[in-house]
Amino acid sequence: MRVGKPEPSVNDKLADAAPRRRRHRHVDYPSELNPQQLEVVQHPGGPMLVLAGAGTGKTRTLVYRVCRLIEDGVPPGTILLLTFTNKAAREMLDRVEQLVERGAGRVMGGTFHSAGNRILRRYAELLGYSPRFSILDREDATDLMGAALADVSPDLPRRRLPRPKLLVDVYSYVINTGHSLDDVLLARAPQYLDQSELIAAVFKRYLERKRDADLMDFDDLLLNWLLLLKRFPEARAELAERFRHVLVDEYQDTNRLQADIVDAMLGADRNLMVVGDDAQSIYAFRGADYANILSFQERHRDCAVFRLEINYRSTPPILALANASISHNEHQFQKELRPTRRGEELPSRVSVPTPEAQATFVADEVLALREEGEELEQMAVLYRNHAHSLELQVELTRRNIPYRVRSGVRFFEQRHVKDVLAHLRFVANPRDEVSFTRLIKLRRGFGARLAARLWSRVAGGNPLRALLDLANGNFDAPRAAQRSLGEVRALVEDLASPRRTGQPGEAIRAVVEAFYRDWARENLDNAGSRLDDLEQLALFADGYADTEAFLAEITLLNELSGEDLAAGPPDESLTLSTIHQAKGLEWRAVFLIWLAEGRFPTVRAEDMEEERRLFYVAVTRAKEDLYLVHPEIARDRYRVDVLLDPSAFLLELPPELSEQRVVHQELGTSGLPELEAGGRYRLPDFLSQDDEAENEDEGDIN
């Protein structure tokens, strides 16, 4: 196919003529930017590396850079702005539109995937696709991967094969990082390492099926964009001519594929500006490659390097602590955040006796700040893993303090937590059809229809006993379902034994060990983090005398939503978030909890420098008040109290940078709120008088 440009429109011709005349400048850049930002905005061009520290106005700098280019006569249609969310691109371009008279709408701005989609529509035929190719979402990609698996291995037992969803995850990670399949399997699915040749064949068939059906998945939007640039020099030259200026936000979060695309897009003038902060590179688990920003100067020897260090967010003591912490990283660009705000209150380093005391301390301080007039919206509790919020969610609910969880749904409402608890709920109440259906549908061979048929077979009387008495072969089902049924019966029988019902934490671990660990690795994103959640749940359950008491407690906690606070508006809530989800946000007061060795940094941490960067991100979210909280003791699975060392990130800080606080607290059982005395529950009218009389005989409900 001959590569050619589409016929330019009248507007394109007018825009292309713009460089011939210099527009009148409307933006007063020196008065609206600090000297560091102004230097970036006014730089003439070429490769530029902008190291933008936390709270230093990187978005403002990008916006004004685009404005300056347009006001200097650069046609807006020749500017490509790449971000990590379409929302960020829209907000930047809206601000550009407000600053310059016209033209911002012609800037191509958006995510890598959205830009790739628009570019590939023009050049699709070079790659063997039509310009009208369809894009697979995650669910459709999983279905197609399943079809490719069936093509390659029609005769192998399905129970020995990886599930399509896992294959899609592995395929995506291989494509985006450039790592070998064996390395990815070793790290993410080691149980299938011996099947790497089969999996490679499945991936090849998956690619063939997509091409035959004129389909691309999200990863193809990047992979095919790079292949276009590498294999078709004429197309690459056209794109380099079209996009004279490329700007990339959050460059530290790019993967290897994205970095190669950016480098390949450059023309002879090489006008590339990347903005990022190596100290905030925290997404390696998603495939982000920290080396992209560190090696930028090596790949672009003549690049200009700028540092944005003037911080508009935090008080001097918070920035002093952040600078001291990140200085311990060896692999970094040296920079120091400098404050513009005033404030002398030191961050608080708080030592508490136990995880429960930690939750009580945070709740007390939140209410104290609220009494001083601070809104809950201006407070946040951050943590390394979502499981670290368990005790706190319980305490906030008990105390009727409203909160929202940015890092996902509330702890007990998460899918993996509900999956495991369904087993305990069914054993505790064998007539619980909902829990039975949930647990049986997790097994191979059972869909909704077969699960309903099995329930109808065992329902009535004692379904648990009926299930255990169901002999092999007495239930008509495919062989895979028969095997699964036998596994379920064995697990349920174990859970119903006195040794399990008296130790709910061990019952949770039994479910995980019996099958859920492998099931989660094959079917759920971030399986390692979810399994950590389940161990934390088990530790929490260890504090209860039996399964019945444990289930009653968490059921009531789920019902108490904590959405009302007498002193504040109904939409006011405390934010709970993992640090990863909190990046880019800020609050007046930040509580960073579970700062203990093995928790943060996590015991599975392979890169201590990335863990320290995560700590740095958390600290720099705070504007005025920062609390660094660590428990001294936690109970392990054997119900033994274990001493916890403070996090290494606390120990390496100079003592004078924080105020030391030790909380001595007598822990009682705060319990759930009780109904007020004096009132009587009245039965609804639709119940019979006999029912009401029976209720009266049983005494008042208090």
Side-chain angles (χ1 to χ4, degrees), residues 51 252 276-281 290 293-294 332-333 335 613:
L51 301 168
Q252 78 281 349
D277 183 7
D278 56 295
Q280 296 187 73
S281 178
Y290 179 58
I293 192 167
L294 287 185
Q332 65 167 318
F333 292 105
K335 55 186 173 298
R613 294 195 294 269

Side-chain angles (χ1 to χ4, degrees), residues 101-340:
E101 287 184 347
R102 62 186 179 87
R106 298 192 66 244
V107 175
M108 182 184 283
T111 64
F112 278 87
H113 293 89
S114 64
N117 175 48
R118 293 163 70 179
I119 289 170
L120 290 173
R121 296 289 175 187
R122 175 176 291 189
Y123 297 102
E125 293 181 17
L126 288 175
L127 297 163
Y129 292 86
S130 79
R132 300 180 63 183
F133 64 83
S134 298
I135 300 175
L136 291 166
D137 62 20
R138 198 72 166 180
E139 183 178 350
D140 292 337
T142 301
D143 290 342
L144 192 63
M145 185 69 79
L149 179 62
D151 289 347
V152 172
S153 57
D155 300 325
L156 289 178
R158 301 292 291 178
R159 61 189 174 88
R160 298 180 184 174
L161 298 173
R163 300 213 176 186
K165 186 178 185 303
L166 174 66
L167 291 176
V168 169
D169 291 340
V170 170
Y171 172 83
S172 179
Y173 199 83
V174 168
I175 294 298
N176 283 283
T177 63
H179 295 165
S180 72
L181 175 58
D182 283 352
D183 287 345
V184 173
L185 287 175
L186 182 62
R188 302 174 81 89
Q191 67 271 33
Y192 294 115
L193 188 57
D194 61 342
Q195 297 191 39
S196 61
E197 291 187 8
L198 171 67
I199 293 172
V202 173
F203 289 171
K204 182 178 179 181
R205 180 58 182 150
Y206 175 63
L207 289 167
E208 292 170 351
R209 273 183 163 270
K210 284 187 295 183
R211 190 181 301 277
D212 292 344
D214 203 25
L215 298 170
M216 292 191 197
D217 60 24
F218 284 107
D219 300 316
D220 291 327
L221 297 176
L222 301 185
L223 178 61
N224 286 333
W225 184 0
L226 182 62
L227 293 177
L228 175 73
L229 296 170
K230 296 287 188 181
R231 296 178 179 177
F232 300 95
E234 192 174 349
R236 178 176 179 174
E238 285 184 4
L239 289 170
E241 177 68 19
R242 178 183 175 187
F243 296 111
R244 302 288 186 85
H245 291 266
V246 179
L247 300 90
V248 185
D249 189 21
E250 303 285 8
Y251 188 71
Q252 78 281 349
D253 294 333
T254 55
N255 59 41
R256 189 175 300 178
L257 179 55
Q258 291 164 330
D260 285 353
I261 288 171
V262 169
D263 289 348
M265 284 288 290
L266 301 185
D269 46 10
R270 299 168 60 242
N271 290 320
L272 168 63
M273 181 174 110
V274 301
V275 183
D277 183 7
D278 56 295
Q280 296 187 73
S281 178
I282 59 174
Y283 293 115
F285 69 95
R286 293 182 185 170
D289 195 338
Y290 179 58
N292 290 341
I293 192 167
L294 287 185
S295 65
F296 188 84
Q297 287 177 280
E298 297 176 13
R299 304 195 316 275
H300 304 276
R301 297 277 182 184
D302 57 341
C303 79
V305 179
F306 305 86
R307 285 172 170 80
L308 303 183
E309 299 172 303
I310 301 173
N311 179 280
Y312 295 92
R313 176 184 298 155
S314 305
T315 59
I318 292 174
L319 295 185
L321 188 146
N323 288 330
S325 175
I326 201 64
S327 68
H328 289 274
N329 274 10
E330 295 182 10
H331 304 96
Q332 65 167 318
F333 292 105
Q334 294 294 329
K335 55 186 173 298
E336 183 174 353
L337 295 178
R338 304 202 294 271
T340 56

